[in-house]
Amino acid sequence: MDLELSKLRNKSKKGYQQLQSEDTEAPASERPGMASNGRATRAYNKKGKGRAKYSDDPEDEVNLLHGDEFDEHYADDPEDAEAGGQLPPSEPPKRPTPVRQQSGKDKSRTRTIEKLQNKFPANVVRNQKYNVFTFLPIVFYEQFKFFFNLYFLLVALSQFIPALKIGYIATYIAPLAFVLAVTMGKEAYDDYKRHLRDQEANSAKYLILEPATADSSDAPPTRAIPSSKLRVGDLLVLEKNQRIPADVVLLRTSESSGTCFIRTDQLDGETDWKLKVAVPSCQKLASDRDLLTLDAEIYADAPIKDIHSFIGTFSIHRSGANDSELPMVPKVEPLSVENVLWANTVLAAGTAVGFVIYTGSETRAVMNTSHPETKVGLLDLEINRLAKILCAVTFALSIVLVALNGFRGQWWIYVFRFLILFSSIIPISLRVNLDMGKTVYAHQIMNDPEIPDTIVRTSTLPEELGRIEYLLSDKTGTLTQNEMELKKLHMGTMSYGSDSMDEIAHQLATAFGVTAEQMMQRVSTITGAQLATRGRRDISSRVRDVVLSLALCHNVTPVTNDDGTVTYQASSPDEVAIVKWTESVGLRLTFRDRTKIELQTPQSTTISFEVLELFPFTSESKRMGIVVRDMQSGEIMFLQKGADVVMAKIVQRNDWLEEECANMAREGLRTLVVGRKKLSEEAYMLFKEKHHEASIRLEGRNEAMNKVVAEHLELDLELLGVTGVEDKLQEGVKSTLELLRNAGIKIWMLTGDKVETATCIAISTKLVARNQYIHQVQKLKTSDAAREQLEFLQSKLDCCLVIDGESLQLCLNTFRNEFIEISTKLSAVVACRCSPTQKADVARLIREYTKKRVCCIGDGGNDVSMIQAADVGVGIVGKEGKQASLAADFSVTQFSFLTKLLMWHGRNSYRRSAKLAQFVIHRGLIISIIQAVFSAIFYFAPIAVYQGWLMVGYATVYTMAPVFSLVLDRDVSEDLALLYPELYKELTKGRQLSFKTFFSWLLISVYQGGAIMIMSLVLFENEFLNIVAISFTALILNELIMVALEITTWHVYMIISEVVTLFVYAISMVFLPQFFDLTFVLSVRFAWKVAVLVAVSSVPLYIIKLVKARISPAVYSKLV
């Protein structure tokens, strides 16, 4: 329970000794930062069940007495402390704070601020992955946890042992050092950029309110401090367009109504402004300075991830003239999410003062952000697995050769020497080639003129774009432009489309008494015939009623900008679209506060309405209502608009509402039903009395209030009309989604928006096929209900699932595996009201369960966690800023660019890298087979057949250019790849690089290596120098021919690389007399022997390729 204020005061006068421990208090006179009656509290409530304890101290729940807004310890001198509390301190380090225990023992204690600060994290933004001490260990671990790199490291280190040394040390160390240097340099640069961004955020200056020492001016004293120095309990002064650095309770705003707008696009992804309300008791104060002398307390629940909920209380304590009197019962006001400004949101207009309640890692923004993991492509993992097999082959080959020699002498050293001789089986040039290939793919993507401004931020993942099977997309700003437009108005007997809005303007003008001449001046498109035939009074009055209702029933506020223009701000873009539409037809909103609305009629006269009651929209009620009094006639009206499913039960019986709403929904329009009820003065006063009685109940308050509204207002409303609002889609969204579906990609839409809105967008984007059943799952509370829904879905896998965040969380908590198993079989899934963490959890769950590649695309700060959790994250640069783009692996400017990115660049990158990897492995295997055959024939001696520059040149100048030119190969043209997305589906099966293809290349290598070495040894020469010249030349020519056989579409660089490489090899023979006898090389005998070797090694493979193309042609060949 809470301690009474008098007890704290009595204790403060007992003259305790200087503070030595947690359980003692210093006297007030010795505590320069302590005020005796100002209190601010932040207590923690675990899971909302009572005021439980906070995890840092298992016994204590924290009451933050912070300031004269609420603080017992912010006076600058002892006199201030005796007179009354004042908030923030002039000397922050000396801020002791009372801490109350809320458990059954009810202990009271005081702690120093240093101990208090340990209770709450510092308000520091830190997105860096490394620091000075962890950089090298983490980077080395990330590199050498892969067997591929670890193997190269061990081989390189072995060359420092004299007995194992073979060839040049540089040939082993240089490639590995190069790869590590490039990787470390890139990681260091990326982390340095993150550090600079963090530093900029942490050093941003903010004003906090402080008690003045001797300042009598009316302006409250402030002090500028960096964001990182903000602490729980500080009174924060916020300016227009300023980012909010911590979670704060809104105390006062510059608007007399006590409201302000914030932009939350970096938190929940919605671009519409949200209305926040200041604490009424603080807003009523004369000035901000009065906050410094307020005796109050704030209770805040334990920090949780949910950005849509907050539980807290604000209590004002009133006391008598002297300190000995007991305080009166405190006035307690509830605090909800509408009173709180979350960190990372932006104050859109005016100024505000807030009380910091959560900082640093406890803010909602940070709790919903996951730290990025180092992403590794599936191709890299597959090659890592192949490397393990190749290592086993190498070891087995070494053991076999030593065993055939009878394990003589120091056979274990021979085993290691053979291992090093055969190390080219796992060529480190593979890693270099693949990394260079990734760089080429990234360059091609960023320089594609059809997808301008596309940026590759993670250059290690281009091949992943060719393996995607699940696409998780945000809605707002990704699939839609978030630009609303009212397209249709249906009034039962009349329906107006976007092409007949001028007629509504005419009818409205007629109803408000505008003459035909005036109307002709205002709307030049209206003809005299229209005026004559359609000016009937009954139609005009009906139009007037529905337009007036739409102009009044909303939460839109007109905001005047610095340049004199007026913009409309509301918590929903639908409402702004409707108010803009009413303005376009002649009824303009000119003023709005919490008690009054003013409209300008077509006659340019102003009509005023008093706001008596307001019932805001909630996801549970799916409707909003307002009670207004016409200040001209005194007439009272209850106006309501909402979703057709709830409004159908509230309005009078009719025969057209359900059908018309269904028609609009099929067109992808958001429908809102508008109704009206006229109230007498007596009826309204009766409602007001009953509603007030319900509002002060301590138990079942909300239910009681809703019941009163339902009984007195929501009954037999006159149905005025139905509006259809279109959310404009991004360019090319429909065709892109259809193409991706045909490519075998399953698409999920994860959004923070309402179920109804998301369903409309799913229909309009054709994410849901025509006449496909949409199964909505909402507000699940029990595991039994969740089980029933899953059983139904199991029996209807051809439907589209639409599920809200609450039900999704229940399913994940209770039937995790069953839910993901069923949902991944569905053709489409739409998850609504998703928190950023939920989006990321869904992405991880699909990855873990299906083992398939998942791509996530979004454009807001709320999508960052999802993007980082995916195998491939794509960020869109849009209205919601660049946060998603900066965190993503690939940055694009339009959703439709995904088509080219996946179907063309992704497909090519994967095919090319798979072919390149296998060819480089083949290149290493064939020379190792030659070495094995040579050693076997020459008494199993671990001696290199090709030494020095021959080995260096083989992996570099003699073969690298032709082999690397495979990154320019393509099997089909771009047009065909985009025309037949089914080609993409073939890649997801992973057949380009599999154990089957790997063993095929292994057999080819064994055949070719054996043929070249055995024939050159047995059939031709006895001189060792001539054997080396013939076999090595045949090997080089064989590799050049094999590259040519693998190419599907020739590129000019491929031809150049083949010709130039052959020329370089021929010239190098002159400069390597120790390996090539020029007299023999220039002889006819050398030429025909090499020709026979090459023919035996490569011609059979060419014949096999031709036969295979006839019997089992590739899928793409059928289209060419």
Side-chain angles (χ1 to χ4, degrees):
M1 66 179 183
D2 287 352
L3 289 179
E4 295 179 13
L5 194 60
S6 58
K7 291 182 180 178
L8 287 176
R9 288 188 183 131
N10 291 337
K11 280 193 174 186
S12 69
K13 294 186 177 184
K14 285 184 180 178
Y16 278 37
Q17 296 300 313
Q18 183 68 29
L19 185 67
Q20 298 295 330
S21 69
E22 292 185 358
D23 298 305
T24 60
E25 281 194 359
S29 60
E30 293 179 24
R31 289 176 289 164
M34 179 74 92
S36 62
N37 70 340
R39 300 201 309 166
T41 303
R42 172 174 153 190
Y44 283 129
N45 183 349
K46 294 279 184 178
K47 299 181 180 178
K49 296 180 180 178
R51 296 186 181 182
K53 306 139 196 165
Y54 189 54
S55 57
D56 280 0
D57 188 327
E59 297 239 341
D60 293 335
E61 180 182 24
V62 180
N63 277 355
L64 251 196
L65 304 191
H66 195 264
D68 282 315
E69 172 196 357
F70 314 99
D71 212 354
E72 259 189 81
H73 48 279
Y74 271 167
D76 273 2
D77 53 60
E79 292 180 12
D80 286 338
E82 292 298 325
Q86 297 192 347
L87 240 117
S90 55
E91 295 180 35
K94 299 179 181 178
R95 296 194 292 184
T97 298
V99 176
R100 293 195 315 239
Q101 187 187 37
Q102 300 290 348
S103 64
K105 297 180 182 178
D106 192 23
K107 293 179 180 177
S108 167
R109 62 181 66 175
T110 299
R111 296 184 176 178
T112 63
I113 188 63
E114 286 77 19
K115 289 182 179 178
L116 175 66
Q117 285 307 109
N118 291 335
K119 301 290 285 184
F120 307 116
N123 195 49
V124 176
V125 176
R126 192 177 191 282
N127 294 308
Q128 285 178 264
K129 290 169 66 175
Y130 316 103
N131 59 37
V132 175
F133 302 104
T134 62
F135 177 71
L136 286 176
I138 292 177
V139 169
F140 282 142
Y141 170 75
E142 290 291 340
Q143 292 303 307
F144 293 121
K145 72 179 179 182
F146 291 105
F147 176 81
F148 200 69
N149 291 342
L150 186 62
Y151 178 82
F152 295 136
L153 177 66
L154 295 174
V155 169
L157 292 176
S158 71
Q159 293 307 289
F160 291 97
I161 302 172
L164 301 179
K165 186 178 178 184
I166 296 174
Y168 301 118
I169 292 181
T171 59
Y172 297 93
I173 294 176
L176 182 64
F178 173 76
V179 170
L180 288 178
V182 170
T183 304
M184 290 171 65
K186 185 176 180 298
E187 286 291 319
Y189 177 75
D190 289 347
D191 211 48
Y192 177 67
K193 298 294 283 185
R194 281 192 287 267
H195 167 70
L196 292 180
R197 288 197 293 270
D198 290 349
Q199 197 173 42
E200 183 181 355
N202 289 325
S203 60
K205 296 290 185 181
Y206 289 89
L207 295 176
I208 60 169
L209 282 180
E210 286 194 324
T213 50
D215 189 357
S216 59
S217 65
D218 292 334
T222 57
R223 179 166 65 96
I225 61 171
S227 169
S228 57
K229 299 295 183 184
L230 283 172
R231 287 177 286 183
V232 172
D234 280 339
L235 275 177
L236 186 63
V237 180
L238 296 163
E239 303 290 339
K240 180 181 178 181
N241 291 328
Q242 198 169 30
R243 183 186 69 87
I244 297 165
D247 294 348
V248 301
V249 171
L250 180 61
L251 300 179
R252 286 177 58 81
T253 73
S254 54
E255 294 290 326
S256 58
S257 60
T259 59
C260 71
F261 283 101
I262 61 166
R263 296 198 295 270
T264 63
D265 48 8
Q266 295 302 325
L267 189 65
D268 61 10
E270 301 303 315
T271 53
D272 43 282
W273 292 10
K274 304 292 190 298
L275 185 72
K276 296 293 181 178
V277 181
V279 177
S281 301
C282 297
Q283 186 64 30
K284 291 174 185 175
L285 299 175
S287 68
D288 292 348
R289 174 182 286 276
D290 294 339
L291 289 173
L292 299 172
T293 55
L294 191 65
D295 178 12
E297 173 181 302
I298 284 181
Y299 164 77
D301 241 1
I304 57 173
K305 290 183 178 181
D306 190 357
I307 59 174
H308 300 295
S309 68
F310 173 75
I311 298 174
T313 57
F314 181 88
S315 307
I316 290 186
H317 303 268
R318 297 185 179 85
S319 60
N322 58 65
D323 287 346
S324 63
E325 290 187 29
L326 287 173
M328 296 171 61
V329 176
K331 178 187 176 185
V332 181
E333 297 177 8
L335 296 178
S336 67
V337 71
E338 71 172 7
N339 305 116
V340 180
L341 311 179
W342 300 130
N344 234 22
T345 58
V346 176
L347 187 65
T351 60
V353 179
F355 178 82
V356 179
I357 50 171
Y358 305 122
T359 53
S361 59
E362 291 182 347
T363 60
R364 296 294 202 268
V366 174
M367 292 180 81
N368 279 286
T369 302
S370 57
H371 287 288
E373 301 171 359
T374 303
K375 295 184 180 180
V376 180
L378 183 59
L379 187 80
D380 293 325
L381 295 175
E382 289 170 344
I383 290 172
N384 195 54
R385 282 199 294 270
L386 293 180
K388 293 176 183 177
I389 295 173
L390 289 170
C391 181
V393 169
T394 305
F395 187 73
L397 195 57
S398 304
I399 294 290
V400 167
L401 288 174
V402 171
L404 289 172
N405 197 30
F407 292 103
R408 296 175 188 171
Q410 293 181 316
W411 61 267
W412 55 89
I413 292 179
Y414 294 148
V415 169
F416 279 106
R417 282 180 65 87
F418 273 125
L419 277 173
I420 294 162
L421 273 176
F422 299 146
S423 64
S424 56
I425 285 180
I426 314 174
I428 194 165
S429 58
L430 173 57
R431 175 71 189 271
V432 177
N433 275 279
L434 287 176
D435 284 351
M436 288 171 59
K438 293 173 195 289
T439 305
V440 171
Y441 309 145
H443 176 77
Q444 290 174 337
I445 290 170
M446 291 194 284
N447 288 277
D448 189 333
E450 294 183 19
I451 48 173
D453 301 321
T454 299
I455 300 170
V456 179
R457 299 195 189 279
T458 308
S459 59
T460 57
L461 298 175
E463 300 95 348
E464 292 296 277
L465 293 171
R467 312 283 293 274
I468 302 301
E469 292 192 51
Y470 286 90
L471 176 67
L472 276 54
S473 174
D474 178 39
K475 179 188 72 68
T476 309
T478 304
L479 298 177
T480 70
Q481 298 179 29
N482 210 32
E483 291 181 8
M484 309 293 177
E485 185 179 350
L486 194 145
K487 287 285 189 181
K488 191 171 282 190
L489 176 65
H490 202 288
M491 297 164 57
T493 56
M494 295 168 293
S495 179
Y496 298 97
S498 55
D499 56 346
S500 56
M501 293 304 174
D502 53 355
E503 191 172 333
I504 294 180
H506 161 62
Q507 301 288 2
L508 189 68
T510 303
F512 278 103
V514 178
T515 63
E517 290 76 19
Q518 290 173 309
M519 192 61 209
M520 286 297 290
Q521 293 171 1
R522 293 176 63 87
V523 187
S524 59
T525 56
I526 294 180
T527 63
Q530 286 176 310
L531 288 172
T533 58
R534 299 183 180 175
R536 297 198 304 273
R537 186 67 196 165
D538 59 335
I539 298 176
S540 298
S541 61
R542 287 180 63 190
V543 169
R544 176 189 182 277
D545 290 344
V546 70
V547 175
L548 184 62
S549 298
L550 289 171
L552 291 171
C553 187
H554 54 72
N555 65 355
V556 180
T557 304
V559 177
T560 304
N561 300 319
D562 297 335
D563 58 359
T565 59
V566 175
T567 55
Y568 296 122
Q569 299 304 338
S571 59
S572 169
D574 305 55
E575 301 223 296
V576 175
I578 290 173
V579 172
K580 283 183 176 178
W581 176 81
T582 63
E583 179 183 4
S584 70
V585 296
L587 200 58
R588 184 162 68 92
L589 176 68
T590 57
F591 175 80
R592 165 73 184 264
D593 64 15
R594 302 188 81 182
T595 60
K596 188 179 179 182
I597 297 176
E598 291 183 358
L599 303 172
Q600 184 177 300
T601 69
Q603 292 174 297
S604 297
T605 58
T606 299
I607 52 176
S608 301
F609 294 85
E610 181 186 356
V611 179
L612 301 176
E613 303 285 345
L614 184 66
F615 311 104
F617 180 92
T618 65
S619 55
E620 290 80 18
S621 67
K622 297 189 177 69
R623 59 191 181 275
M624 77 152 292
I626 189 170
V627 179
V628 295
R629 186 200 306 272
D630 189 333
M631 297 177 75
Q632 287 74 33
S633 64
E635 183 182 44
I636 300 175
M637 292 183 293
F638 169 60
L639 308 171
Q640 192 168 48
K641 68 178 181 188
D644 55 301
V645 288
V646 293
M647 292 297 290
K649 304 167 188 173
I650 295 173
V651 298
Q652 296 167 352
R653 279 182 59 84
N654 61 85
D655 57 359
W656 59 270
L657 178 61
E658 185 178 349
E659 182 183 352
E660 286 305 323
C661 287
N663 291 338
M664 287 188 189
R666 275 194 288 274
E667 296 175 35
L669 300 177
R670 306 186 189 204
T671 55
L672 281 175
V673 179
V674 187
R676 177 185 69 174
K677 183 175 187 176
K678 294 183 179 179
L679 302 173
S680 64
E681 189 72 34
E682 294 77 17
Y684 171 67
M685 294 310 294
L686 177 62
F687 160 76
K688 189 175 181 181
E689 181 185 345
K690 297 287 187 185
H691 194 255
H692 179 70
E693 288 175 5
S695 69
I696 58 175
R697 287 181 57 171
L698 296 177
E699 294 183 5
R701 179 188 300 176
N702 290 338
E703 293 80 2
M705 291 167 67
N706 292 337
K707 185 179 179 183
V708 172
V709 173
E711 290 177 352
H712 290 79
L713 299 181
E714 294 178 341
L715 204 63
D716 282 340
L717 266 66
E718 177 189 356
L719 177 57
L720 298 178
V722 180
T723 62
V725 176
E726 179 190 50
D727 189 353
K728 293 180 182 177
L729 300 179
Q730 293 275 5
E731 185 181 344
V733 162
K734 291 182 185 178
S735 58
T736 301
L737 288 178
E738 183 181 5
L739 196 136
L740 294 175
R741 259 204 314 271
N742 291 338
I745 297 173
K746 292 185 177 179
I747 301 163
W748 289 38
M749 185 168 79
L750 309 179
T751 176
D753 215 333
K754 302 187 290 287
V755 169
E756 295 78 16
T757 306
T759 305
C760 285
I761 297 303
I763 294 169
S764 61
T765 55
K766 300 293 186 282
L767 180 64
V768 179
R770 188 172 180 83
N771 297 324
Q772 184 180 6
Y773 174 68
I774 300 174
H775 184 63
Q776 292 189 353
V777 178
Q778 297 185 64
K779 304 296 174 191
L780 291 184
K781 301 292 185 186
T782 64
S783 58
D784 290 339
R787 185 187 295 108
E788 288 175 11
Q789 295 292 346
L790 291 174
E791 287 171 356
F792 174 82
L793 288 170
Q794 181 72 52
S795 64
K796 200 170 181 65
L797 292 174
D798 59 341
C799 72
C800 168
L801 170 64
V802 179
I803 186 169
D804 67 351
E806 184 181 343
S807 305
L808 175 66
Q809 197 60 51
L810 179 67
C811 290
L812 294 181
N813 292 342
T814 53
F815 302 105
R816 188 182 187 87
N817 292 334
E818 293 85 346
F819 172 77
I820 202 68
E821 180 184 356
I822 294 169
S823 58
T824 48
K825 293 177 183 175
L826 300 174
S827 60
V829 177
V830 178
C832 315
R833 289 296 182 199
C834 279
S835 68
T837 310
Q838 279 180 321
K839 290 184 177 184
D841 287 344
V842 169
R844 289 193 195 95
L845 201 57
I846 295 174
R847 285 178 61 191
E848 290 169 12
Y849 180 80
T850 65
K851 306 299 182 188
K852 307 292 186 184
R853 300 288 96 180
V854 176
C855 173
C856 292
I857 182 168
D859 70 321
N862 65 312
D863 301 316
V864 169
S865 294
M866 173 179 75
I867 285 170
Q868 291 175 342
D871 294 297
V872 179
V874 181
I876 296 179
V877 181
K879 294 179 181 177
E880 298 183 24
K882 291 188 175 182
Q883 196 168 344
S885 165
L886 292 171
D889 305 307
F890 299 88
S891 170
V892 297
T893 54
Q894 286 184 36
F895 181 82
S896 58
F897 287 0
L898 267 186
T899 304
K900 188 82 180 287
L901 201 61
L902 300 183
M903 301 297 115
W904 178 243
H905 291 293
R907 186 174 183 276
N908 283 344
S909 299
Y910 171 54
R911 285 183 60 84
R912 291 165 176 173
S913 282
K915 188 179 285 188
L916 178 65
Q918 290 176 133
F919 208 93
V920 173
I921 290 172
H922 157 74
R923 187 177 66 184
L925 274 169
I926 190 171
I927 198 170
S928 297
I929 296 297
I930 288 174
Q931 174 67 55
V933 172
F934 176 80
S935 294
I937 291 173
F938 285 93
Y939 312 107
F940 306 102
I943 301 168
V945 60
Y946 306 128
Q947 297 181 4
W949 286 110
L950 288 187
M951 283 300 292
V952 174
Y954 177 71
T956 54
V957 292
Y958 296 155
T959 59
M960 187 168 182
V963 171
F964 187 69
S965 69
L966 290 172
V967 301
L968 300 173
D969 191 24
R970 56 186 177 89
D971 56 345
V972 295
S973 67
E974 182 182 326
D975 292 337
L976 275 176
L978 298 178
L979 185 61
Y980 297 102
E982 292 78 11
L983 289 171
Y984 185 88
K985 194 185 297 186
E986 286 295 308
L987 296 191
T988 57
K989 298 172 184 176
R991 291 174 180 169
Q992 301 300 311
L993 180 64
S994 62
F995 288 122
K996 180 182 176 182
T997 59
F998 169 70
F999 284 111
S1000 298
W1001 278 101
L1002 183 61
L1003 291 174
I1004 290 170
S1005 303
V1006 169
Y1007 166 74
Q1008 290 185 330
I1012 290 171
M1013 197 69 231
I1014 291 171
M1015 290 184 68
S1016 60
L1017 281 171
V1018 175
L1019 301 178
F1020 295 118
E1021 296 298 330
N1022 295 322
E1023 271 192 59
F1024 180 73
L1025 190 63
N1026 291 352
I1027 292 172
V1028 169
I1030 290 173
S1031 64
F1032 193 76
T1033 304
L1035 176 63
I1036 297 298
L1037 291 174
N1038 180 76
E1039 288 302 283
L1040 294 178
I1041 291 170
M1042 286 298 293
V1043 169
L1045 289 177
E1046 283 301 305
I1047 292 172
T1048 310
T1049 307
W1050 282 88
H1051 190 284
V1052 63
Y1053 291 124
M1054 295 173 175
I1055 299 170
I1056 292 172
S1057 67
E1058 292 263 342
V1059 173
V1060 170
T1061 299
L1062 193 59
F1063 178 75
V1064 168
Y1065 177 68
I1067 295 297
S1068 67
M1069 287 182 178
V1070 178
F1071 299 99
L1072 297 171
Q1074 67 271 37
F1075 301 116
F1076 300 101
D1077 179 359
L1078 285 180
T1079 308
F1080 174 68
V1081 167
L1082 294 173
S1083 67
V1084 176
R1085 193 159 53 101
F1086 173 81
W1088 75 261
K1089 288 184 177 181
V1090 168
V1092 170
L1093 283 177
V1094 172
V1096 171
S1097 66
S1098 58
V1099 170
L1101 294 176
Y1102 178 68
I1103 294 170
I1104 291 171
K1105 182 181 178 182
L1106 287 178
V1107 172
K1108 187 179 177 183
R1110 288 283 184 183
I1111 297 173
S1112 177
V1115 176
Y1116 65 83
S1117 63
K1118 301 171 186 175
L1119 303 174
V1120 179

